[in-house]
Amino acid sequence: DVLDSDGASAGHFTLELVRSWSPKGVERMHELVKMRYYDGAVFFRALKNFVVQWGMRSKEEDKAWAAQFDRASVDAVSSRLKDEKLATGLSNSRGTISFAMGGKNTRTKQLFINLKDNKYLDREGFTVIGKVIEGMDDVVSKIYAGYKDGGGQVGTYSRGREILREKFPLMWEIEKCVVMEDH
């Protein structure tokens, strides 16, 4: 479920993750969801006609989350993933999901959903791991995207939810994220 800025339910969206598109990326997201990393995650970056992004916490928030698990489990989902080649015929099109990155082999926990076709991201190495199969028009495309530069990316790692609630009070959040059984 997704909560709007007032804390009211804005509905839910469903992602289909496809292992053959990005085996490492899909495995990473599955593990993070099982470890409840995305529960309460704020869409800290939302750019109209581009992307909505989530999965960044402050250093302190990350420590509190990590304290619930053994060190090896935390390390396994926090290390940088090696890039995977974009599967033939796939593109960062509207409704697809990819890991954010800051350069070669830097994918960790941040994800984004493309709000429009962003084919140029293919050349930059953003590997598609899945797609929205429910709730794209009703929920994802309605996530607040009115802040200049997309919102709270700067400062989130140092102050987390505190800065997001203070400076970007209209940002939406994920209440709970679950993995459904593979079919």
Side-chain angles (χ1 to χ4, degrees):
D1 278 345
V2 175
L3 302 177
D4 66 16
S5 58
D6 294 324
S9 176
H12 72 274
F13 63 91
T14 304
L15 301 173
E16 177 183 35
L17 304 180
V18 183
R19 286 186 194 277
S20 63
W21 295 356
S22 174
K24 294 175 198 167
V26 169
E27 183 60 29
R28 170 67 55 91
M29 186 172 180
H30 270 255
E31 289 304 311
L32 286 165
V33 170
K34 287 179 194 173
M35 295 171 79
R36 300 177 314 279
Y37 187 79
Y38 299 118
D39 290 3
V42 175
F43 292 100
F44 67 86
R45 183 174 184 230
L47 293 163
K48 189 175 182 153
N49 295 316
F50 183 45
V51 299
V52 293
Q53 187 172 336
W54 72 98
M56 181 188 286
R57 298 171 180 241
S58 72
K59 290 180 257 185
E60 292 303 314
E61 291 165 342
D62 241 6
K63 283 182 191 176
W65 167 80
Q68 304 172 68
F69 305 98
D70 64 89
R71 187 75 200 156
S73 297
V74 172
D75 288 348
V77 296
S78 299
S79 62
R80 292 180 174 188
L81 284 174
K82 290 192 182 229
D83 293 340
E84 296 173 289
K85 187 176 180 181
L86 187 64
T88 303
L90 286 180
S91 182
N92 278 274
S93 58
R94 184 177 188 274
T96 58
I97 181 173
S98 298
F99 273 93
M101 61 182 190
K104 187 173 175 61
N105 298 319
T106 60
R107 300 179 299 159
T108 56
K109 299 174 189 152
Q110 295 178 41
L111 297 157
F112 65 87
I113 297 173
N114 288 289
L115 296 177
K116 70 169 198 143
D117 292 348
N118 292 311
K119 189 174 178 114
Y120 73 94
L121 293 177
D122 302 348
R123 294 183 300 278
E124 294 183 21
F126 291 92
T127 303
V128 174
I129 68 168
K131 61 186 175 181
V132 177
I133 60 169
E134 182 183 346
M136 185 66 194
D137 292 326
D138 298 341
V139 180
V140 176
S141 65
K142 293 181 180 176
I143 292 170
Y144 184 79
Y147 290 113
K148 182 180 180 190
D149 299 326
Q153 188 165 6
V154 176
T156 300
Y157 191 63
S158 62
R159 292 183 50 210
R161 294 178 72 80
E162 174 190 348
I163 195 167
L164 291 172
R165 291 295 168 230
E166 176 186 315
K167 302 220 179 238
F168 308 100
L170 298 178
M171 293 301 224
W172 290 19
E173 70 181 73
I174 296 171
E175 180 179 31
K176 184 171 179 135
C177 192
V178 296
V179 173
M180 300 171 68
E181 292 298 318
D182 293 330
H183 299 287

